[in-house]
Amino acid sequence: MSVFIHTTADGCAIRLKLRRTARKNIIVRSAARGLLDINVPPFVSKKSLYHWLNTNELSIKQLWQQALQISTALPAYIWFRGQTYSYTQVVVLTHVQWDAQQGFLLPLANVQLPQIALSTWLKQRAQTELWGSAFFCTFLQRTQKRLKYRKHGDCGRGKW
């Protein structure tokens, strides 16, 4: 992925993050504040891409205007495990902490760190809780019952 700047006919500089994993179509989405994500098939040349950007300049510019309005502020509350929790920003913390009664404690080192730290923490928790051993073992047991297989030994260690 590379980030480049496309200048429109009226002089607007639009930041684009280029990826080349699309199969057939050119896909443009808002990625972040003032940044568009463009996914292009590998067979499209840079010259063809620049021609396409110039041809579709009005649409690209409208999407870019929407990307400029993306808010980077933290939400009023955080949904976690099906419940809403409040948060507090703490200066001395270096990582996110969570407690069922207190809610979230977020590090406050600079303006963007709380959002990035919270996003990273929530993604890690989603991966570990969703695909953790307890969930996966339960999933296998439910699948076994549904398919009416016999289990030999412990969950995950036996033969089906």
Side-chain angles (χ1 to χ4, degrees), residues 63-109:
L63 194 58
W64 180 66
Q65 291 291 336
Q66 291 174 0
L68 286 175
Q69 297 171 359
I70 292 175
S71 175
T72 57
L74 285 168
Y77 53 87
I78 300 166
W79 273 95
F80 184 63
R81 295 181 177 168
Q83 296 181 354
T84 59
Y85 293 97
S86 62
Y87 62 87
T88 307
Q89 295 182 356
V90 182
V91 177
V92 295
L93 286 181
T94 58
H95 60 280
V96 176
Q97 294 180 358
W98 175 76
D99 182 62
Q101 284 79 31
Q102 295 178 355
F104 287 90
L105 299 175
L106 305 178
L108 180 66

Short mmCIF file of all heavy atoms in Angstrom, two decimals, residues 63-109:
data_model
loop_
_atom_site.label_atom_id
_atom_site.label_comp_id
_atom_site.label_asym_id
_atom_site.label_seq_id
_atom_site.Cartn_x
_atom_site.Cartn_y
_atom_site.Cartn_z
N LEU A 63 -16.57 12.35 -2.66
CA LEU A 63 -16.20 11.37 -1.64
C LEU A 63 -15.12 11.93 -0.72
O LEU A 63 -15.13 11.70 0.48
CB LEU A 63 -15.72 10.08 -2.32
CG LEU A 63 -15.59 8.85 -1.45
CD1 LEU A 63 -16.91 8.51 -0.78
CD2 LEU A 63 -15.13 7.67 -2.28
N TRP A 64 -14.18 12.67 -1.28
CA TRP A 64 -13.13 13.31 -0.49
C TRP A 64 -13.72 14.32 0.49
O TRP A 64 -13.29 14.42 1.63
CB TRP A 64 -12.11 13.96 -1.42
CG TRP A 64 -10.99 14.64 -0.72
CD1 TRP A 64 -10.01 14.06 0.04
CD2 TRP A 64 -10.72 16.04 -0.69
NE1 TRP A 64 -9.14 15.01 0.51
CE2 TRP A 64 -9.56 16.24 0.07
CE3 TRP A 64 -11.34 17.15 -1.27
CZ2 TRP A 64 -9.02 17.49 0.29
CZ3 TRP A 64 -10.80 18.39 -1.06
CH2 TRP A 64 -9.65 18.56 -0.28
N GLN A 65 -14.73 15.10 0.04
CA GLN A 65 -15.40 16.05 0.93
C GLN A 65 -16.05 15.32 2.11
O GLN A 65 -16.03 15.79 3.24
CB GLN A 65 -16.46 16.87 0.16
CG GLN A 65 -15.89 17.82 -0.85
CD GLN A 65 -15.15 18.98 -0.20
OE1 GLN A 65 -15.39 19.33 0.94
NE2 GLN A 65 -14.20 19.54 -0.94
N GLN A 66 -16.64 14.16 1.84
CA GLN A 66 -17.21 13.35 2.93
C GLN A 66 -16.12 12.86 3.87
O GLN A 66 -16.31 12.81 5.09
CB GLN A 66 -17.98 12.16 2.36
CG GLN A 66 -19.23 12.53 1.63
CD GLN A 66 -19.88 11.32 0.97
OE1 GLN A 66 -19.39 10.20 1.07
NE2 GLN A 66 -20.99 11.56 0.28
N ALA A 67 -14.97 12.49 3.32
CA ALA A 67 -13.87 12.00 4.15
C ALA A 67 -13.32 13.11 5.04
O ALA A 67 -12.83 12.84 6.14
CB ALA A 67 -12.75 11.43 3.27
N LEU A 68 -13.40 14.35 4.59
CA LEU A 68 -12.93 15.47 5.41
C LEU A 68 -13.81 15.68 6.64
O LEU A 68 -13.38 16.24 7.64
CB LEU A 68 -12.89 16.77 4.59
CG LEU A 68 -11.76 16.88 3.58
CD1 LEU A 68 -11.91 18.15 2.77
CD2 LEU A 68 -10.41 16.85 4.27
N GLN A 69 -15.06 15.21 6.58
CA GLN A 69 -16.00 15.42 7.67
C GLN A 69 -15.99 14.27 8.69
O GLN A 69 -16.74 14.30 9.66
CB GLN A 69 -17.42 15.58 7.12
CG GLN A 69 -17.56 16.80 6.24
CD GLN A 69 -18.89 16.86 5.52
OE1 GLN A 69 -19.71 15.97 5.67
NE2 GLN A 69 -19.09 17.90 4.75
N ILE A 70 -15.14 13.28 8.48
CA ILE A 70 -15.06 12.16 9.42
C ILE A 70 -14.56 12.67 10.76
O ILE A 70 -13.54 13.35 10.85
CB ILE A 70 -14.14 11.05 8.89
CG1 ILE A 70 -14.76 10.39 7.67
CG2 ILE A 70 -13.85 10.01 9.97
CD1 ILE A 70 -13.87 9.37 7.00
N SER A 71 -15.28 12.34 11.80
CA SER A 71 -14.92 12.79 13.14
C SER A 71 -13.89 11.85 13.76
O SER A 71 -13.99 10.62 13.64
CB SER A 71 -16.16 12.82 14.03
OG SER A 71 -15.81 13.14 15.34
N THR A 72 -12.90 12.42 14.41
CA THR A 72 -11.91 11.61 15.10
C THR A 72 -12.13 11.62 16.61
O THR A 72 -11.31 11.14 17.37
CB THR A 72 -10.49 12.12 14.80
OG1 THR A 72 -10.41 13.49 15.18
CG2 THR A 72 -10.16 11.96 13.33
N ALA A 73 -13.26 12.18 17.04
CA ALA A 73 -13.55 12.25 18.47
C ALA A 73 -13.99 10.88 18.98
O ALA A 73 -14.51 10.05 18.25
CB ALA A 73 -14.66 13.27 18.72
N LEU A 74 -13.78 10.65 20.26
CA LEU A 74 -14.24 9.42 20.88
C LEU A 74 -15.76 9.44 20.99
O LEU A 74 -16.37 10.50 21.13
CB LEU A 74 -13.63 9.27 22.27
CG LEU A 74 -12.17 8.87 22.32
CD1 LEU A 74 -11.60 9.05 23.71
CD2 LEU A 74 -12.00 7.43 21.87
N PRO A 75 -16.40 8.29 20.96
CA PRO A 75 -17.86 8.24 21.09
C PRO A 75 -18.30 8.58 22.52
O PRO A 75 -17.49 8.63 23.45
CB PRO A 75 -18.19 6.78 20.76
CG PRO A 75 -16.95 6.03 21.08
CD PRO A 75 -15.82 6.97 20.79
N ALA A 76 -19.59 8.81 22.70
CA ALA A 76 -20.12 9.14 24.02
C ALA A 76 -20.02 7.94 24.97
O ALA A 76 -19.84 8.11 26.17
CB ALA A 76 -21.58 9.59 23.90
N TYR A 77 -20.15 6.74 24.44
CA TYR A 77 -20.03 5.51 25.24
C TYR A 77 -19.50 4.41 24.32
O TYR A 77 -19.45 4.57 23.11
CB TYR A 77 -21.36 5.10 25.86
CG TYR A 77 -22.48 5.00 24.86
CD1 TYR A 77 -22.70 3.83 24.15
CD2 TYR A 77 -23.32 6.09 24.61
CE1 TYR A 77 -23.70 3.74 23.22
CE2 TYR A 77 -24.33 6.00 23.68
CZ TYR A 77 -24.52 4.83 22.98
OH TYR A 77 -25.51 4.74 22.05
N ILE A 78 -19.11 3.29 24.93
CA ILE A 78 -18.51 2.19 24.18
C ILE A 78 -19.34 0.93 24.39
O ILE A 78 -19.63 0.56 25.53
CB ILE A 78 -17.06 1.95 24.66
CG1 ILE A 78 -16.23 3.22 24.44
CG2 ILE A 78 -16.44 0.77 23.94
CD1 ILE A 78 -14.92 3.22 25.15
N TRP A 79 -19.73 0.28 23.29
CA TRP A 79 -20.42 -1.01 23.36
C TRP A 79 -19.37 -2.10 23.48
O TRP A 79 -18.46 -2.21 22.66
CB TRP A 79 -21.23 -1.27 22.08
CG TRP A 79 -22.60 -0.70 22.11
CD1 TRP A 79 -22.99 0.50 21.62
CD2 TRP A 79 -23.75 -1.31 22.66
NE1 TRP A 79 -24.33 0.68 21.83
CE2 TRP A 79 -24.82 -0.42 22.46
CE3 TRP A 79 -24.00 -2.52 23.31
CZ2 TRP A 79 -26.11 -0.71 22.88
CZ3 TRP A 79 -25.29 -2.80 23.72
CH2 TRP A 79 -26.32 -1.90 23.51
N PHE A 80 -19.49 -2.92 24.53
CA PHE A 80 -18.57 -4.02 24.72
C PHE A 80 -19.32 -5.17 25.36
O PHE A 80 -19.98 -4.98 26.38
CB PHE A 80 -17.39 -3.56 25.61
CG PHE A 80 -16.33 -4.60 25.81
CD1 PHE A 80 -15.59 -5.08 24.75
CD2 PHE A 80 -16.06 -5.09 27.08
CE1 PHE A 80 -14.60 -6.03 24.92
CE2 PHE A 80 -15.07 -6.04 27.27
CZ PHE A 80 -14.34 -6.50 26.20
N ARG A 81 -19.26 -6.33 24.75
CA ARG A 81 -19.96 -7.53 25.24
C ARG A 81 -21.45 -7.29 25.41
O ARG A 81 -22.07 -7.76 26.36
CB ARG A 81 -19.35 -8.02 26.54
CG ARG A 81 -17.93 -8.51 26.41
CD ARG A 81 -17.42 -8.99 27.74
NE ARG A 81 -16.08 -9.53 27.60
CZ ARG A 81 -15.31 -9.80 28.63
NH1 ARG A 81 -15.74 -9.59 29.85
NH2 ARG A 81 -14.10 -10.27 28.43
N GLY A 82 -22.04 -6.53 24.52
CA GLY A 82 -23.48 -6.31 24.53
C GLY A 82 -23.98 -5.28 25.52
O GLY A 82 -25.18 -5.16 25.73
N GLN A 83 -23.09 -4.52 26.15
CA GLN A 83 -23.49 -3.50 27.11
C GLN A 83 -22.74 -2.21 26.83
O GLN A 83 -21.66 -2.22 26.25
CB GLN A 83 -23.20 -3.95 28.55
CG GLN A 83 -24.01 -5.16 28.97
CD GLN A 83 -23.70 -5.56 30.40
OE1 GLN A 83 -22.82 -5.01 31.04
NE2 GLN A 83 -24.43 -6.54 30.91
N THR A 84 -23.32 -1.10 27.30
CA THR A 84 -22.63 0.18 27.13
C THR A 84 -21.78 0.48 28.36
O THR A 84 -22.17 0.18 29.48
CB THR A 84 -23.63 1.34 26.92
OG1 THR A 84 -24.50 1.41 28.04
CG2 THR A 84 -24.43 1.14 25.65
N TYR A 85 -20.61 1.06 28.12
CA TYR A 85 -19.70 1.42 29.20
C TYR A 85 -19.20 2.85 28.97
O TYR A 85 -19.02 3.28 27.83
CB TYR A 85 -18.49 0.48 29.24
CG TYR A 85 -18.84 -0.93 29.64
CD1 TYR A 85 -19.05 -1.92 28.68
CD2 TYR A 85 -18.99 -1.27 30.98
CE1 TYR A 85 -19.37 -3.20 29.04
CE2 TYR A 85 -19.31 -2.57 31.35
CZ TYR A 85 -19.51 -3.52 30.38
OH TYR A 85 -19.83 -4.80 30.75
N SER A 86 -18.95 3.53 30.05
CA SER A 86 -18.34 4.86 29.96
C SER A 86 -16.83 4.70 29.93
O SER A 86 -16.30 3.61 30.09
CB SER A 86 -18.75 5.71 31.17
OG SER A 86 -18.29 5.11 32.36
N TYR A 87 -16.14 5.81 29.71
CA TYR A 87 -14.68 5.76 29.71
C TYR A 87 -14.13 7.00 30.40
O TYR A 87 -14.79 8.03 30.50
CB TYR A 87 -14.12 5.65 28.29
CG TYR A 87 -14.45 6.81 27.40
CD1 TYR A 87 -13.65 7.94 27.37
CD2 TYR A 87 -15.58 6.78 26.60
CE1 TYR A 87 -13.96 9.01 26.56
CE2 TYR A 87 -15.90 7.84 25.78
CZ TYR A 87 -15.09 8.95 25.76
OH TYR A 87 -15.41 10.01 24.96
N THR A 88 -12.91 6.86 30.88
CA THR A 88 -12.19 7.96 31.52
C THR A 88 -10.80 7.99 30.92
O THR A 88 -10.16 6.95 30.79
CB THR A 88 -12.09 7.74 33.05
OG1 THR A 88 -13.41 7.51 33.56
CG2 THR A 88 -11.47 8.94 33.73
N GLN A 89 -10.34 9.18 30.57
CA GLN A 89 -8.99 9.32 30.05
C GLN A 89 -8.04 9.63 31.20
O GLN A 89 -8.28 10.55 31.97
CB GLN A 89 -8.94 10.41 28.99
CG GLN A 89 -9.76 10.05 27.77
CD GLN A 89 -9.68 11.11 26.69
OE1 GLN A 89 -9.08 12.16 26.86
NE2 GLN A 89 -10.30 10.82 25.56
N VAL A 90 -6.97 8.82 31.32
CA VAL A 90 -6.03 8.94 32.42
C VAL A 90 -4.64 9.23 31.86
O VAL A 90 -4.19 8.55 30.94
CB VAL A 90 -6.01 7.64 33.26
CG1 VAL A 90 -5.07 7.77 34.44
CG2 VAL A 90 -7.42 7.30 33.74
N VAL A 91 -3.97 10.21 32.41
CA VAL A 91 -2.67 10.66 31.90
C VAL A 91 -1.59 9.62 32.11
O VAL A 91 -0.74 9.40 31.25
CB VAL A 91 -2.26 12.00 32.56
CG1 VAL A 91 -0.89 12.43 32.11
CG2 VAL A 91 -3.29 13.07 32.26
N VAL A 92 -1.57 8.92 33.23
CA VAL A 92 -0.45 8.03 33.58
C VAL A 92 -0.52 6.65 32.93
O VAL A 92 0.44 5.90 33.02
CB VAL A 92 -0.33 7.88 35.11
CG1 VAL A 92 0.03 9.19 35.75
CG2 VAL A 92 -1.61 7.31 35.69
N LEU A 93 -1.60 6.30 32.28
CA LEU A 93 -1.72 4.97 31.67
C LEU A 93 -0.97 4.89 30.35
O LEU A 93 -0.84 5.87 29.62
CB LEU A 93 -3.19 4.64 31.41
CG LEU A 93 -4.05 4.29 32.61
CD1 LEU A 93 -5.46 3.96 32.17
CD2 LEU A 93 -3.47 3.12 33.36
N THR A 94 -0.51 3.67 30.05
CA THR A 94 0.15 3.43 28.76
C THR A 94 -0.66 2.49 27.89
O THR A 94 -0.38 2.35 26.71
CB THR A 94 1.55 2.83 28.97
OG1 THR A 94 1.42 1.62 29.72
CG2 THR A 94 2.46 3.82 29.67
N HIS A 95 -1.67 1.82 28.46
CA HIS A 95 -2.51 0.92 27.68
C HIS A 95 -3.94 0.96 28.22
O HIS A 95 -4.19 1.43 29.33
CB HIS A 95 -1.96 -0.51 27.69
CG HIS A 95 -1.86 -1.10 29.06
ND1 HIS A 95 -0.83 -0.81 29.92
CD2 HIS A 95 -2.68 -1.95 29.73
CE1 HIS A 95 -1.02 -1.46 31.06
NE2 HIS A 95 -2.13 -2.15 30.97
N VAL A 96 -4.88 0.44 27.45
CA VAL A 96 -6.30 0.45 27.82
C VAL A 96 -6.54 -0.57 28.93
O VAL A 96 -6.01 -1.67 28.90
CB VAL A 96 -7.17 0.11 26.59
CG1 VAL A 96 -8.64 0.01 26.97
CG2 VAL A 96 -6.98 1.15 25.50
N GLN A 97 -7.37 -0.18 29.90
CA GLN A 97 -7.79 -1.08 30.96
C GLN A 97 -9.32 -1.08 31.00
O GLN A 97 -9.95 -0.06 30.75
CB GLN A 97 -7.24 -0.64 32.31
CG GLN A 97 -5.73 -0.73 32.40
CD GLN A 97 -5.22 -0.29 33.77
OE1 GLN A 97 -5.98 0.11 34.64
NE2 GLN A 97 -3.91 -0.34 33.94
N TRP A 98 -9.89 -2.25 31.33
CA TRP A 98 -11.34 -2.36 31.39
C TRP A 98 -11.75 -3.04 32.68
O TRP A 98 -11.13 -4.00 33.12
CB TRP A 98 -11.86 -3.18 30.20
CG TRP A 98 -13.32 -3.43 30.29
CD1 TRP A 98 -14.32 -2.55 30.04
CD2 TRP A 98 -13.96 -4.66 30.65
NE1 TRP A 98 -15.54 -3.15 30.23
CE2 TRP A 98 -15.34 -4.45 30.60
CE3 TRP A 98 -13.48 -5.91 31.03
CZ2 TRP A 98 -16.26 -5.45 30.91
CZ3 TRP A 98 -14.39 -6.90 31.33
CH2 TRP A 98 -15.76 -6.67 31.26
N ASP A 99 -12.83 -2.53 33.28
CA ASP A 99 -13.42 -3.12 34.47
C ASP A 99 -14.93 -3.07 34.29
O ASP A 99 -15.47 -2.07 33.79
CB ASP A 99 -13.01 -2.33 35.72
CG ASP A 99 -13.58 -2.96 36.98
OD1 ASP A 99 -13.24 -4.12 37.27
OD2 ASP A 99 -14.39 -2.30 37.65
N ALA A 100 -15.62 -4.13 34.67
CA ALA A 100 -17.06 -4.21 34.46
C ALA A 100 -17.82 -3.10 35.20
O ALA A 100 -18.85 -2.63 34.73
CB ALA A 100 -17.59 -5.57 34.90
N GLN A 101 -17.35 -2.67 36.37
CA GLN A 101 -18.03 -1.62 37.12
C GLN A 101 -17.58 -0.21 36.71
O GLN A 101 -18.38 0.69 36.59
CB GLN A 101 -17.80 -1.78 38.64
CG GLN A 101 -18.63 -2.88 39.26
CD GLN A 101 -18.04 -4.26 39.01
OE1 GLN A 101 -16.84 -4.43 38.88
NE2 GLN A 101 -18.91 -5.25 38.89
N GLN A 102 -16.28 -0.02 36.51
CA GLN A 102 -15.75 1.31 36.21
C GLN A 102 -15.80 1.66 34.73
O GLN A 102 -15.75 2.82 34.38
CB GLN A 102 -14.31 1.43 36.69
CG GLN A 102 -14.16 1.34 38.18
CD GLN A 102 -12.69 1.41 38.59
OE1 GLN A 102 -11.80 1.43 37.74
NE2 GLN A 102 -12.45 1.46 39.88
N GLY A 103 -15.85 0.69 33.85
CA GLY A 103 -15.80 0.95 32.42
C GLY A 103 -14.37 0.95 31.92
O GLY A 103 -13.52 0.23 32.44
N PHE A 104 -14.08 1.79 30.95
CA PHE A 104 -12.76 1.81 30.32
C PHE A 104 -11.91 2.95 30.86
O PHE A 104 -12.40 4.05 31.11
CB PHE A 104 -12.91 2.00 28.80
CG PHE A 104 -13.42 0.78 28.10
CD1 PHE A 104 -14.77 0.57 27.93
CD2 PHE A 104 -12.54 -0.17 27.62
CE1 PHE A 104 -15.24 -0.55 27.30
CE2 PHE A 104 -13.00 -1.30 26.98
CZ PHE A 104 -14.35 -1.49 26.82
N LEU A 105 -10.63 2.66 31.04
CA LEU A 105 -9.64 3.67 31.37
C LEU A 105 -8.72 3.76 30.16
O LEU A 105 -8.10 2.77 29.76
CB LEU A 105 -8.84 3.29 32.62
CG LEU A 105 -9.66 3.14 33.90
CD1 LEU A 105 -8.77 2.65 35.03
CD2 LEU A 105 -10.31 4.46 34.27
N LEU A 106 -8.66 4.95 29.54
CA LEU A 106 -7.90 5.14 28.30
C LEU A 106 -6.66 5.98 28.55
O LEU A 106 -6.71 6.95 29.31
CB LEU A 106 -8.76 5.83 27.24
CG LEU A 106 -10.11 5.17 26.91
CD1 LEU A 106 -10.85 6.00 25.90
CD2 LEU A 106 -9.90 3.77 26.40
N PRO A 107 -5.55 5.65 27.89
CA PRO A 107 -4.34 6.47 28.04
C PRO A 107 -4.53 7.82 27.34
O PRO A 107 -5.17 7.91 26.31
CB PRO A 107 -3.27 5.63 27.34
CG PRO A 107 -4.01 4.77 26.39
CD PRO A 107 -5.34 4.51 27.01
N LEU A 108 -3.98 8.85 27.92
CA LEU A 108 -4.09 10.19 27.35
C LEU A 108 -2.69 10.78 27.21
O LEU A 108 -2.21 11.51 28.06
CB LEU A 108 -4.96 11.09 28.25
CG LEU A 108 -5.17 12.52 27.78
CD1 LEU A 108 -5.98 12.54 26.50
CD2 LEU A 108 -5.89 13.31 28.85
N ALA A 109 -1.99 10.41 26.13
CA ALA A 109 -0.65 10.93 25.91
C ALA A 109 -0.67 12.05 24.87
O ALA A 109 0.00 13.04 25.03
CB ALA A 109 0.28 9.82 25.45
#
